[in-house]
Every structure is written in structure tokens, then in C-alpha cells.
Amino acid sequence: MALAAALAAPTWAQENAGSLADTAAGSEAMGPADEIVVTGSRIARPNLENTTATLVIGDEMLNRQNYENIADIVSSMPQFAPAFGTGRTTSSFSGSAASGLNLTNLRNLGANRSVVLINGRRVPGGTPLQPSVDFNTLPTVNIERIEVITGGASAVYGADAVAGVVNIITKRNFRGLEVGASYGIAERGYNKNSNAYMMFGGDLGDGGHVLVTAQYAYEGLVSCADTYVCGSDIRYNNPAEGPVFAPGTGLSGIPPLSSVGLGGNFFLGSGATALQLTRNLQTGQLETFNIARHGFNRNPERTLAIPTQRLLFAAEAEYPISDAVSAFAELNYGRSSTNGPIEAIAFQSTSNLFGGRPGVPGVRVTIPVDNPFFLAATTPEQRARLTPAQIAGGIDWSQRMSELGKRGSTNERNTVRVAAGLKGDLDLGGRDWKWEASYVYGRTELNSRTDGLVGTDRLYYGLRVEADPANPGRYRCTDAAARAMGCVPVNPFAPYTQDQIDYLTVSAGQSGISTLHDFNAFVSGSPFDLPAGPVSVAMGIDYRSFSGFQDTDEVISLGLTTGNQIGDNEFVKTKTKEVYAEIVVPLLRDTSFFRTLELEGAYRLSDPSSGSSYQTWKAGGTWEPVDGVRFRGIRARAVRAPTPGELTGLGQTFGNVNDPCRAINRNANPTRAANCTADGVPANYDPPLAVQQGVGGTIGGNPDLKPEKADTWTYGVVLTPKFLPGFALTVDRFDIKIDGFINTVGRQAKVNLCYDTVDRQYCDDITRSFRPEVNGNFALTAINDQLLNVNTFKVRGFDVEARYSFDPGLALGNEPSQMTLQVLSTIYDKAEQTQPTGDVTKLDGYAGGDTATQGFLRWQATANVMYASGPFGLTYSMRYIPKTKASPFLEGFPKIPAASYHNLRLNFDVTEKANIYMGVNNLFDRKPPIVPDNSSGSQAQNTIAGLYDVFGRQFFIGAKFGF
């Protein structure tokens, strides 16, 4: 991995206690001599000498785009991929409990395969079921740098660090008081972001310190109505079929509309005599449904970026008890409040059932044909088309329930972290040793509520109506028990009354708590010297537990409301006891072709509360044949045990699946065409949007999951030639193979394999059944999925960084000038997942995917130019995404054009203790590409929002003051 050396604090900030922090400086010192000692190991060494590849994100990158969220900062690095479904712009359709999260995705292996630390100590998970950290609950202004560690991190920081470690280092050397505020807004008037903070640092005792930070941040709503990219639904068709909606994309010429409209859909009869009626909103009369006239454009009512409000507090202190022992403590509190409104519920009697549970179908909420409102709204000629089944069981219907209001998830997450311990120095045999013992307690509480739901039990009883004998000319609910519970007769053939709205509308949600306990103790030092230098060792013990549960309101778990039926996640606690050791052995130094030669190793033995013990390790070394050329390599083993959220739970899902038997898809290969025919799907089958985007099913945890086992290679070269002072080039190769990879097969992958294989793989998990919109029993209505150890996941590629710091001779006045040029890139030449069946899904070369499996860009890069002279500083940054395919599961779609994003930041020291800054992101207003939402990696979006900028040109301004 590339090593981005953090820039030093500004000169004046170092020389003047109580002045502004390093992040406020205009005169950023960018000289090559400023070398950071990284903590990618319990044995600390300068970053360019470290065997473990480490990306260091310093203050220049922390501030270049005015990001106020750590996840946004690190996700802009090429080593990271979008955390699909768990980001501000990707989670509005991820389920109520996940809406508004902000996780990171190192190496595109998932947020649950990396470990997050603050000052080398663990951070609690951001959800009740997963240890993945929600960065919405962590402040940014107190950060000195962020270290991203790969290659052997499991043996050092915990066996579950498969992808690596994100280690946040705070500003322990800050002294004084600093206050600051900033404001940002997109050129089009949305995405209004505000931030304010106060930070105080001071000495504590003789050699101790204290740092207190309070921060408020708000990120505003961006509605799909504000932007073209998701202002309407899109649907991919072969361009040869007709005009296109977006040139070069193959999107249909007329933006598709949802067939679940405001006036409802009432299905009478079947076959050639079938009627689909809807209420004319102007006349109130029923007429034949026409999608162009009565369809509903739901996208403008959806949320592209979830408004997020954060209140953050952090405090840390270290106090020397004696010359040899210090006590330390850290406290973090974060509250994140999000609200993701989306369009009103699309009730459909074929899928929004009353009651039921997995394996036991619920009752369809049909309209009885003796319903007096039905009889009044329809004509005898229309009723003559009713089938015997409809006469006996009622008619199917659907309706967009906009009169009841929008739905959406309101989430509040509260996270507390307390770390405390002792550390000190030891003199053993005349040699200096260091030790530390710490305990971390963490707790996250989720309170989630979804508004705008419809009670299916209430609707069912409200549609069963009879004349009220006590009130001639009026009606009552037929069921006496329902009447006793306040049942109100419901008339779907007319505007809903306020009494009906109050009766039908339901709010429900989920709540849960996760808890982290982590005790760690280690000692490090040098027991003896070799001719090439001291042997360094570290050894320690670690005990941690993670527990969690998530309860769902009964109206959801019992299927008494629209939306997904979700069961409780029962309380699960995982415990792990570990012992570990590290060693660095210098073999040769200052000899021919061996300026240095070192070997390094680490070992960790883990004993989980369930299952067998397992081992993680790393072995490698560095070789510097001559000054300025250093080779390094690490071979490592990592193991990740399943989390509570993976072991338990079962929930219903509805979403967009691209049916391989659609007319446009079925002839992709002869096997598919034959299987579609065998299942009775007509050759001209072209389901409406509501059918494509309403594919149901269940997704569940699995108590039989086994730990993942990963083997990794990381090796490369570091070049720091003496003839070019200030220049450094690092090239690192990574090769990751994960056996027993925990994931779902993926609903899109399952249905594709069902029709593309002779032995019909996964067809038992797929249901085709009746949908009145297609007037047949061949609609794709459900795909079930479950977490499995899906065999093997392989990722291979390169990390490259070039960095050059120098004096360009562009001084302002008498002040010296400094410039740093930096390029970082990650290149993938393999990314593939092997299914349990042995089939291999190739993932490299794609920007998107489905909600279970994401593609990997072949490569991407960022470039930074940083200039400073006296009080003036200028930063230019650029991110480049090459031309790429859209999704492994989207056939024939044109490649997405290359995209580049350019950003500028200007800062100026008005006085020694006052700094102002301003900037613009996406300088040239690059618009995101159009991609069908079933291939974007997240639901209900027409682009890959986690990767491509969706806001357009944005401006920001801010100020910082020191006291």
C-alpha cells in the first residue's frame, strides 16, 4: 500500500503554545524530513522503514475538501470503495435500521472486515448487531492523522482485521483553545452543510496532557427532485428497441412510471376479459388504467442524501502518577440523528399480506365483491367479468397511499466509548521496556422509527363492510372484534377521510443495543542486541466480547403492517481470549548490498467462546541493498468469526431484480432461453416496473456459519533516492484469498444461475407466481437468500504512491515557499467470488453491482498539489475514475465514461491566531453517470452514488480562531 506521509504541524503552531491547531495553518510545512512514526505495530518505527504497508492521511488530506466525517475522508482514498447501503447517499432504501449509517469499506471487502481504533484502542460498533464503526459518531477536528494499516494487521490488532485497520490518532500535543465554524452548499442550493466546534488542550501535571473537543455537524437533505440523476425511474432496454431516455446508455425513451398509482389499480376478471381499473382523480369515476396517464413517478419524492445531524464530544487525559507510570483515559460520545423520507407506501394486495411468517403465508388483503363501496363504484358490466375465485375471495388491488403521507426512517444512534488504563517504563536488566494495560467499554443504542406505514390488519377489516343498522345509510366493519378495536370502514374508491387516514396509518420501528468490552495488556522492548542492532519484541494478552440484540415492534414482526416483515435478532454474545507476540530481528546492517536486512514476525492465538481456537500470524522482512531502495514483504493469516448480526435474524425484503426471462434478457444464452420456456415464461414477457422492483423474499442470518480464513501477501518497494531529496515512491502488491467468505450468494446471482445452468442451481429459492399486472402465474415474485460461507473470495492488485516535496521558488515576499506533489492509485487485476456450486463470479472491471456483491474498479487514482508560502496556502486535489463497466449482473449496458473531479482549497492566516479558508469541490460540475438502479449497488438510485459525486459543484467557507 502507498505510504502518504503526513505533513508536519505549521511552524507557528509549533512555536506558540495556545495558537491555532495544525489544521488551521496556511504555512503548512511540507519538507521531506518530517517523518511520522506510525503505529502499524506494537513496535513503533518510522513509516518508510515499516514492513507493514501503511497509508497515513495527514492534516493536508483531512482538510482538502472540508469533509467533516471520517468516512468521507478515507473513502476518497483509492484503497477504499463505497460502503454500499451504509452511507449517507446509499442507505435510504437499506432498511430502516441501516438508514443513515456511514461506514467505510477498505479493499471493498466490507466494513465488517476491518478494525477501527482510536490511539490503538478499539471503537465500539455503530449498530446493535455488527462491530463495524459508524463514523457519524466520531469527531474530526481532534484528529492529527489517520493510519490505514494492511498486511498482517490481524496478528497485531486482532484476528478479525482481515482487510486491515483504521487507526485514528488524536492531537495529544495540542495546547490552547480553538474555535471554528464552516458552511458549505451546492451550487444548486441543496446539500447545505454546517459545522462548528470548540477544542481545548493543556498540560496536566508534569508531562501529562488533556484534550477536550465538542463538535456539531449538520448535512442537509438532497431530494431526488433536486437533481436529474434520480428525478425519474429508469429502465434499461436494448437501444435498438427505440429512442433512448439518456443518450449512450440504452435507457428507454419514456421515463418509466410505477403502475401503483394514486388512483389505485383494481383487477377484475382474467385472461382476455381482464380489466385493470383506476380512479380518475378529477372525476372520481373508474376508468381503464393507462400507465402513461395514471402511472406514478415516485423518484422525485425519494431522498438522494439523508439529512444528518451530529452532536459529538471527546475528551482524553494522561497524568503521570510517577516518573515511571502514567494513567490515561479517553471518553467519546456521539449522537447521530437521521431522517430519510421516501415516497408513500405502494400497497399491493399480492405482497402486502395480513399476518403470516416465513413458511406460513399471510392473508391477502383483497376487496370483497359484496363491499358496498365496490358495488357503488363499478358497473354491472364490469362485475360480470369477475372470476369464481374473485367472487369467493375478493379482487386484488394496489394503490399509492400518498394521502396518508410519506414514509421514511428516523434513526437516532447514541454511542459511548470509555477507555482507561496505565502505562509506563520498565528497567529490565539495564534495558528500557514499555508496558500498557487498558480497558475499553463501548455501547451503541439504536432507536429507529418508520412513519407512513399502513396497518394491513386494519385495512383487511376496514374493507369488510356492512350496513350499520344503528345508522341508516352508513356502514360499519363486519367483524365485531375489529369494531371493538376502533375499526373504521375504508373506501379505496374515493379520497380517504381523515378518520380513515388516522385509522390506517401506523408508525413502527426497531431498537437495539450492542456492547463492547476489551481488555488489553502488552509489554515491548529489546531483550538483547545483535551486531546489526537491537532485537525488538512485544507480547500481550487481549480479551474482548461483543454482544448485541435488535427488537422489532410486533406490528412488523407479525406482518400487521406494510413494509418488510422483520423478526427479532435475539441477544448474542461472542467472546474471544487471545495471546500475541511480535518480534523484529535485524540481521545485517551497513555491509555490501545489505545496508539493512530485518526479519519480522507476529503470532496470535485466539480462543473464541464457541468453536475451535485458531491462529493468526505474519512473517516477513525488509531489505535495503543501498541507500534509497528498500524492499519489504509480509505473508499473513487472518481469521474473522461471525458477528451477532450474521448468526441471527430473518427479514423480508423487496427490491429490484433484473429478471433473466425478460424478453430483452432471455436470449443471452441457449440454456437460459430453454429454462425460461420450461418455466412457462412467454417469449415476449416484459413486466411493468412495479413487478420488477417489487421482487420479495427473505434474507437471514445463519447460526451454522464458520469463521472466515484469509491468507494475504503484501510485498513491494520503497524508493527515496538521494539525488532527488524530498521524493518517495512506493509500490506494494497485495494478494488476498478468503476461504469461507461470509456473504449471501446474492438475489440477482441466484436467479441468473437458476436460468443459466443446466442443473438449475438455486431454483428452489426462487418463486414465480401470479401478479395481476402481467395477468399470469409467471411473474418473478420472490427470491430467498441466506448468509453462507460462500467458498472463496480472491482480490489481487497494486497500491502506488509517488510524493515529491520541494521549494518551487514561488515565495510570497520574504517567506519561503514549499510544494508537495502527490499521486495515489490502487489497481485491481483480480477480484472474484467462487460460489458454493463452484461457479466463479468475476468482479474486477465494474463500478457497481447488486446489494450483496459489488464490483471492483480496475483502477482509480487521486492527485494532490499543495503549496504554501507565509500565511498563504493552496491545495488542489483531483480524483480520477476510468471508463468502466457498470455491473457484473447487467448485460449489454454501455460502459460508463471516465470521470474526473477537481477540487480547490485556499487558506490564509489573517493573524497568528486567526485563519480563514474557502474552497470549491467538483470545480467543473461533473455530473454523475446514469446507471439502472438494480445495478448501482444500492436500491432506488440511478447512479453509483457512493463512487460518483451526486451533488455537483459545491462551495465552502470557514474560519478558525486560537486563544
Side-chain angles (χ1 to χ4, degrees), residues 449-511:
R449 188 186 77 253
T450 301
D451 299 316
L453 301 174
V454 177
T456 53
D457 57 338
R458 301 180 185 192
L459 187 57
Y460 178 86
Y461 290 116
L463 291 171
R464 275 121 189 97
V465 179
E466 65 184 12
D468 186 352
N471 297 283
R474 303 187 67 178
Y475 302 97
R476 68 179 186 181
C477 298
T478 302
D479 189 276
R483 290 200 303 270
M485 297 293 293
C487 182
V488 174
V490 175
N491 181 5
F493 303 97
Y496 292 110
T497 66
Q498 190 60 51
D499 285 345
Q500 292 170 354
I501 292 172
D502 294 341
Y503 168 65
L504 291 175
T505 304
V506 173
S507 293
Q510 300 165 277
S511 61

Side-chain angles (χ1 to χ4, degrees), residues 269-324:
S270 65
T273 63
L275 280 178
Q276 183 177 349
L277 301 176
T278 187
R279 176 170 57 90
N280 185 304
L281 299 180
Q282 283 72 45
T283 68
Q285 302 300 309
L286 293 184
E287 60 189 29
T288 301
F289 179 85
N290 179 282
I291 186 68
R293 181 179 179 186
H294 304 110
F296 180 75
N297 183 10
R298 55 194 189 158
N299 270 39
E301 300 188 23
R302 293 185 163 178
T303 296
L304 179 59
I306 294 174
T308 304
Q309 179 177 268
R310 302 187 295 141
L311 295 174
L312 311 165
F313 177 80
E316 63 179 82
E318 182 175 330
Y319 181 76
I321 300 174
S322 68
D323 292 340

Side-chain angles (χ1 to χ4, degrees), residues 43-65:
I43 302 170
R45 285 173 290 170
N47 57 334
L48 292 178
E49 297 180 9
N50 203 353
T51 305
T52 303
T54 305
L55 167 70
V56 182
I57 303 173
D59 60 285
E60 82 285 3
M61 282 196 276
L62 290 172
N63 294 294
R64 63 181 181 173
Q65 291 180 255

Side-chain angles (χ1 to χ4, degrees), residues 511-768:
S511 61
I513 295 174
S514 64
T515 305
L516 168 73
H517 297 275
D518 184 30
F519 173 77
N520 186 284
F522 69 91
V523 60
S524 64
S526 174
F528 57 89
D529 292 342
L530 293 177
V535 173
S536 300
V537 299
M539 60 196 76
I541 59 173
D542 191 1
Y543 169 83
R544 65 180 177 275
S545 68
F546 180 80
S547 60
F549 71 90
Q550 187 166 289
D551 290 337
T552 303
D553 289 350
E554 281 193 349
V555 292
I556 296 176
S557 60
L558 297 180
L560 304 181
T561 184
T562 52
N564 297 343
Q565 186 176 6
I566 303 170
D568 291 340
N569 289 86
E570 302 296 335
F571 178 85
V572 174
K573 185 174 186 177
T574 60
K575 295 182 288 186
T576 306
K577 294 178 286 186
E578 297 178 322
V579 294
Y580 59 88
E582 290 184 75
I583 187 169
V584 177
V585 180
L587 298 180
L588 296 170
R589 183 175 298 274
D590 296 327
T591 63
S592 297
F593 298 106
F594 290 97
R595 189 181 182 282
T596 61
L597 178 64
E598 291 183 344
L599 295 182
E600 177 179 331
Y603 175 81
R604 181 177 290 252
L605 175 63
S606 302
D607 181 18
S609 54
S610 62
S612 303
S613 61
Y614 48 86
Q615 305 170 65
T616 54
W617 48 266
K618 72 172 182 177
T622 61
W623 171 42
E624 187 176 6
V626 295
D627 282 344
V629 179
R630 179 181 293 269
F631 298 96
R632 62 188 180 189
I634 286 286
R635 174 72 166 165
R637 164 70 55 84
V639 177
R640 187 184 76 89
T643 64
E646 294 169 329
L647 295 168
T648 67
L650 181 66
Q652 192 178 32
T653 185
F654 289 92
N656 196 333
V657 177
N658 190 13
D659 190 340
C661 291
R662 279 182 64 201
I664 189 178
N665 299 326
R666 67 183 293 140
N667 294 317
N669 59 71
T671 300
R672 176 181 291 188
N675 287 336
C676 291
T677 300
D679 283 1
V681 183
N684 62 348
Y685 178 57
D686 190 22
L689 205 64
V691 174
Q692 292 184 71
Q693 297 180 336
V695 180
T698 60
I699 297 179
N702 185 348
D704 297 324
L705 290 173
K706 307 299 181 185
E708 298 174 341
K709 184 183 295 184
D711 291 314
T712 67
W713 270 105
T714 305
Y715 52 92
V717 61
V718 180
L719 302 178
T720 53
K722 284 191 172 182
F723 63 82
L724 189 60
F727 177 81
L729 171 67
T730 65
V731 180
D732 285 290
R733 174 71 161 167
F734 58 87
D735 190 335
I736 304 170
K737 178 185 177 184
I738 306 176
D739 290 320
F741 188 80
I742 297 173
N743 198 4
T744 60
V745 174
R747 300 198 321 145
Q748 187 68 62
K750 276 192 170 184
V751 72
N752 286 355
L753 287 167
C754 171
Y755 287 95
D756 290 345
T757 55
V758 175
D759 55 347
R760 307 300 304 272
Q761 296 169 14
Y762 299 114
C763 283
D764 289 343
D765 293 325
I766 294 164
T767 301
R768 289 190 180 273

Side-chain angles (χ1 to χ4, degrees), residues 116-345:
V116 178
L117 311 171
I118 296 177
N119 297 321
R121 305 174 191 101
R122 291 212 174 212
V123 179
T127 78
L129 303 173
Q130 299 285 359
S132 309
V133 172
D134 180 13
F135 287 93
N136 279 338
T137 60
L138 297 178
T140 55
V141 296
N142 64 336
I143 298 175
E144 178 178 295
R145 66 182 186 274
I146 300 172
E147 299 174 359
V148 182
I149 307 157
T150 61
S154 287
V156 177
Y157 285 115
D160 49 339
V162 176
V165 168
V166 177
N167 191 13
I168 300 166
I169 308 300
T170 57
K171 296 176 177 177
R172 56 176 295 125
N173 293 321
F174 176 84
R175 299 295 184 268
L177 174 66
E178 180 177 302
V179 295
S182 65
Y183 180 78
I185 187 171
E187 183 177 61
R188 294 170 180 84
Y190 49 71
N191 198 39
K192 299 175 182 178
N193 301 327
S194 54
N195 176 73
Y197 73 91
M198 179 177 66
M199 181 168 61
F200 171 78
D203 295 321
L204 190 64
D206 185 11
H209 79 280
V210 61
L211 179 66
V212 179
T213 305
Q215 183 175 357
Y216 168 85
Y218 177 78
E219 297 169 292
L221 170 71
V222 181
S223 170
C224 279
D226 297 328
T227 173
Y228 88 102
V229 73
C230 61
S232 65
D233 264 315
I234 65 170
R235 175 180 175 184
Y236 172 61
N237 285 328
N238 189 317
E241 295 184 356
V244 296
F245 170 53
T249 66
L251 301 173
S252 58
I254 300 175
L257 302 173
S258 170
S259 59
V260 183
L262 298 174
N265 294 270
F266 307 99
F267 300 95
L268 283 70
S270 65
T273 63
L275 280 178
Q276 183 177 349
L277 301 176
T278 187
R279 176 170 57 90
N280 185 304
L281 299 180
Q282 283 72 45
T283 68
Q285 302 300 309
L286 293 184
E287 60 189 29
T288 301
F289 179 85
N290 179 282
I291 186 68
R293 181 179 179 186
H294 304 110
F296 180 75
N297 183 10
R298 55 194 189 158
N299 270 39
E301 300 188 23
R302 293 185 163 178
T303 296
L304 179 59
I306 294 174
T308 304
Q309 179 177 268
R310 302 187 295 141
L311 295 174
L312 311 165
F313 177 80
E316 63 179 82
E318 182 175 330
Y319 181 76
I321 300 174
S322 68
D323 292 340
V325 179
S326 294
F328 62 86
E330 299 171 350
L331 171 65
N332 292 85
Y333 170 75
R335 187 179 76 189
S336 168
S337 302
T338 65
N339 178 23
I342 56 176
E343 79 279 6
I345 196 75

